[in-house]
Each structure stands twice: as C-alpha cells, then as structure tokens.
Amino acid sequence: MPKRIAIVGGGYVGARLAKSLDDTAEVTLIEPRSHFVHAPAMIRAVVDPALLDRALIPYDRLLRNGRLLRARASAIDEGGVTLEDGERVEADYIVVGTGSSYALPFKPMGDDIEGLRRANHRVHDQLRAARTIGIVGAGAVGTELAGEIAHAMPDRKITLISAHGRLFPDLPEKFGNALAAKLQEAGVTLIFGQRARNLQSLTEPYTGSLTLSDGTGHDFDLIFPVLGSRANSDLVDRLPGAQKTTANRIKVDPWLRPSSLPNVLAAGDVADPGDNMTIVAASRQLPWLESALKGLMAGKRLDAMKPYRPWGPRAPILVPLGPRRGNSFLVWFTAGDFLTRKMKGEDLFLKRYHKLLNRA
Ligand SMILES: Cc1cc2nc3c(=O)[nH]c(=O)nc-3n(C[C@H](O)[C@H](O)[C@H](O)COP(=O)(O)OP(=O)(O)OC[C@H]3O[C@@H](n4cnc5c(N)ncnc54)[C@H](O)[C@@H]3O)c2cc1C
C-alpha cells in the first residue's frame, strides 16, 4: 500500500514536493488558491501588468495521480489534517508549507487571486500618475522594486529608505555597494540608517508623507511598504512543543520537525531551520525533504537519517534591477549585470515554474 502524504500549502515547497512524490506516494495537496503565485515576477508586474498572466499559474495540471484539494487547513494532528469545512484528510506523513504573507500587490491576501489582480492594476495606475515614490525597506524586494521602476519609468523620483547602514548588510560589502552604485546611477536616492516612524499601512501602497527617525519629513505620491514576509504559522504554532522564532516562523529541528509529532515536517518560509525566507532556501530543503520522506516510506527512522544542513544567512541571492542590470551573490563569487540578467533578470524563472505546473 502506498503511504499517504498530506501537503499543506502549494507554494514553492508544497507544489514541488507534491509533484516529485506524485508517482511514489498517495499525495494530497491542500491549497486554497486557484493559482500558484510566482513572487519574483510580481515585482516587475507592478511596472508591467501584462506579466501577471504569466506570474499567476493555474494549479489544475500540477498532479497526475494525486489529489489537489482547493481548501484551507484548519488543524493538524498525528493522524492527518482537518480542513476549514470540517473534512478530514487522513495521512501517514504531513508536510507543512504554509509559507508567508507579504504586502499587496506582491502576494495575495489569503487566497484572493482576483483581489491581487485588482491591486496590481490599481497600484500600476497610481504609479503611472505618481512623480515621487518612496520605498520603505531595502531588502531584496525593495531594492529590486527601485530598480524595476527606475528602468521602466526613468523620469520618476524614487527614494529607497533603509534602516541599515548599507544594502544587504549580512553579505560582503562589495555586493551591496555595487547595487547601490547602480541604483544611484539610475537616479534613485538612497537613505540609509533611517526608519519611517509613521507608516500608515504595512499591507498596501498609499499616498502620504513619511517622518524618518532623524525627524525629517518627506512627501510622496506613492509609498510602498516592503518590510518583509510574515510566516503563516497558525497551524503549526498549536502543535505540542512548537516554538516561534522571528517573523512568526516556527523553529524546526535538524530533521525539519516543528513539534514533538514524529510524522509532521515543515519547510519553506513557515519553518526556521536557520535559513532565510527564500526560494533559494526552499530549493535546498526540497531534495532533503524528498529523500527523507522516501526513507520514512521505506521504513527508516528519521533521526537515523542525515540531518538537513541549512545555507545559513550567507545564501546565494540574485538581485536584478530591471531586465538588464543587477548583481548576484553566489557564495564563492559575486556576479554582475550579465550573469544576473541571464540567470534571473530576463525571464524571472517564469519558464521553470510554468514547467513545474505543466503549462506550455
Ligand atoms: C515580491 C517577492 C519576491 C520574491 N522573490 C524571490 C526571489 O527572487 N528569490 C527567492 O529566493 N525568494 C524570493 N521571494 C521569497 C519567496 O517568495 C518565498 O521564500 C517563497 O514564496 C516561500 O515558499 P513557501 O512554499 O514556503 O511558501 P509560499 O510561496 O508563501 O506558499 C505558501 C502556500 O501555502 C498556502 N497556505 C497558507 N495557509 C494555508 C492553509 N492554512 N491551508 C492550506 N494552504 C495554505 C498559501 O495559499 C500558499 O499558496 C520573494 C518574495 C516576495 C514577496
């Protein structure tokens, strides 16, 4: 009898894992959204809404054998998953990949794909009408957004505000400095070491003024709050022994277990094994997860298997500034415009994720 695996959440972890186990286990993927949301393309979609149709990919062709349940899980226990409507999905193993939430128009609120489309169009129209743009938060999303707007709308006055002393403070100085120089060359003003004291919204762009920690005031036609992801951890939070770390994530042990339940694993943004909240981290966790589940199905004990080893904070990252420019930190070296464009900037991995979801 094939083992039953319930996967909660069909993001980068859930969709890929479900497909890779589709032939070896009885897979049930629980996902309330109609479409997979390819986050890296959602940044450029703000300046080019035509990208939306490729960034939002229908789930319906993902699995050949397994079940895709368009539903939200409301509880997990050792025997399976309970859905919001009370239905039960019995399972031998459960993998939680409920990911994280982010401000509009980059990720949907809950499962509202139509709401995400509307937000994209609204913000694009606001952006077209805006002359001055403030971006609060200079992580990868804020930095890329500044680069995309500067590329597509070079006459806009863009200000990127960071609480840190430089871009990407955890990575070699050369990397952040190269990106900063390219943004400045494109006319972007960078403000470092300042926090916005009076953000009116953390969840969507708005028109207003910002007071920074040095007391200065700045008016903007459009302010983008891009302050990072927050994990969707409610389901795992309630499991015995679960512990929260930062950004609402749940600590996992070296075998990606978030609780004392031996058959529940968690990966991606919701789980904190010492990796950042990135697709790059999920991509390292996936092969481990896949072979651990195959080992479990073959009767091995999880803690007799090799533990997962995280990237840690110095993981690779590719930061395009529009389709042509950018820099990448590739652990052993940093790359400039050409490699960043070829690896990510041109296509934003769209082909790879269309292939995953069995779309032409
Ligand atoms: C704008 C943006 C751009 C990004 N670009 C990059 C990039 O270029 N490179 C990179 O490495 N990282 C990037 N990231 C980070 C990346 O998107 C995340 O690390 C990634 O989405 C995490 O994948 P995941 O599978 O853990 O969760 P998610 O992709 O968040 O997917 C979680 C899924 O779980 C579902 N779910 C939630 N709760 C439930 C529930 N109760 N029941 C059932 N299903 C549920 C959701 O509907 C969702 O489909 C970006 C993030 C943003 C916001």
Side-chain angles (χ1 to χ4, degrees):
M1 271 284 280
K3 295 283 186 189
R4 299 160 306 173
I5 300 186
I7 301 173
V8 186
Y12 291 85
V13 166
R16 279 172 64 181
L17 187 68
K19 186 167 176 179
S20 68
L21 296 174
D22 198 20
D23 291 330
T24 41
E26 202 180 293
V27 171
T28 303
L29 176 62
I30 302 161
E31 168 58 58
R33 294 179 184 158
S34 56
H35 291 66
F36 179 89
V37 178
H38 183 48
M42 293 306 294
I43 304 173
R44 189 169 300 159
V46 176
V47 297
D48 178 10
L51 254 190
L52 256 196
D53 284 336
R54 293 175 62 220
L56 304 175
I57 314 170
Y59 274 113
D60 53 355
R61 294 188 197 156
L62 175 68
L63 298 180
R64 262 194 319 205
N65 306 312
R67 270 198 304 171
L68 173 65
L69 288 185
R70 180 133 179 232
R72 181 171 291 279
S74 61
I76 290 171
D77 55 63
E78 215 166 334
V81 181
T82 306
L83 308 182
E84 251 177 11
D85 65 3
E87 194 189 324
R88 275 290 288 175
V89 176
E90 304 296 337
D92 301 299
Y93 305 104
I94 299 156
V95 180
V96 185
T98 45
S100 63
S101 301
Y102 205 90
L104 286 169
F106 303 105
K107 275 194 170 183
M109 292 288 157
D111 56 2
D112 189 4
I113 294 291
E114 279 316 305
L116 179 63
R117 284 186 203 276
R118 283 196 301 276
N120 169 275
H121 288 293
R122 185 171 67 241
V123 174
H124 177 71
D125 289 346
Q126 287 172 318
L127 187 57
R128 280 173 45 145
R131 307 316 310 166
T132 54
I133 292 138
I135 299 174
V136 184
V141 176
T143 302
E144 287 187 35
L145 181 64
E148 293 290 348
I149 301 173
H151 173 83
M153 301 174 164
D155 58 340
R156 301 303 192 278
K157 205 172 152 354
I158 305 162
T159 305
L160 178 62
I161 300 161
S162 171
H164 301 289
R166 59 184 176 87
L167 295 181
F168 299 96
D170 295 333
L171 297 179
E173 212 168 327
K174 186 177 147 196
F175 173 67
N177 289 352
L179 285 162
K182 285 178 191 176
L183 285 174
Q184 281 165 330
E185 222 176 279
V188 176
T189 302
L190 300 176
I191 299 182
F192 289 120
Q194 296 293 322
R195 286 177 191 279
R197 281 198 195 143
N198 61 335
L199 266 177
Q200 278 169 34
S201 171
L202 289 173
T203 53
E204 61 184 322
Y206 64 94
T207 303
S209 61
L210 291 175
T211 306
L212 303 186
S213 26
D214 63 2
T216 55
H218 304 256
D219 293 329
F220 293 106
D221 297 331
L222 195 56
I223 297 170
F224 283 90
V226 281
L227 288 157
S229 303
R230 217 171 150 70
N232 302 321
S233 58
D234 296 7
L235 279 179
V236 244
D237 191 14
R238 289 177 251 136
L239 296 182
Q243 274 176 48
K244 271 205 182 138
T245 65
T246 51
N248 219 26
R249 299 173 87 193
I250 304 291
K251 191 173 162 47
V252 286
D253 75 4
W255 292 272
L256 303 189
R257 288 175 296 205
S259 71
S260 56
L261 300 186
N263 61 336
V264 178
L265 306 182
D269 284 5
V270 72
D272 186 355
D275 280 324
N276 292 333
M277 298 164 94
T278 61
I279 302 164
V280 168
S283 302
R284 186 177 174 100
Q285 293 159 16
L286 273 157
W288 183 91
L289 206 50
E290 202 183 311
S291 87
L293 285 160
K294 285 184 176 160
L296 284 169
M297 288 191 278
K300 290 192 191 145
R301 278 171 49 95
L302 193 60
D303 37 24
M305 295 181 210
K306 220 167 98 187
Y308 170 72
R309 281 189 47 223
W311 275 113
R314 285 168 70 98
I317 184 165
L318 289 80
V319 185
L321 302 172
R324 295 200 206 115
R325 306 202 73 188
N327 285 86
S328 300
F329 171 69
L330 299 169
V331 184
W332 302 277
F333 66 102
T334 55
D337 292 336
F338 180 76
L339 275 183
T340 306
R341 173 167 82 230
K342 287 292 162 203
M343 288 187 296
K344 179 172 171 190
E346 275 177 4
D347 168 61
L348 301 170
F349 312 122
L350 277 158
K351 278 200 201 89
R352 186 185 301 176
Y353 286 92
H354 276 253
K355 193 168 165 210
L356 171 73
L357 285 121
N358 296 318
R359 295 267 148 187

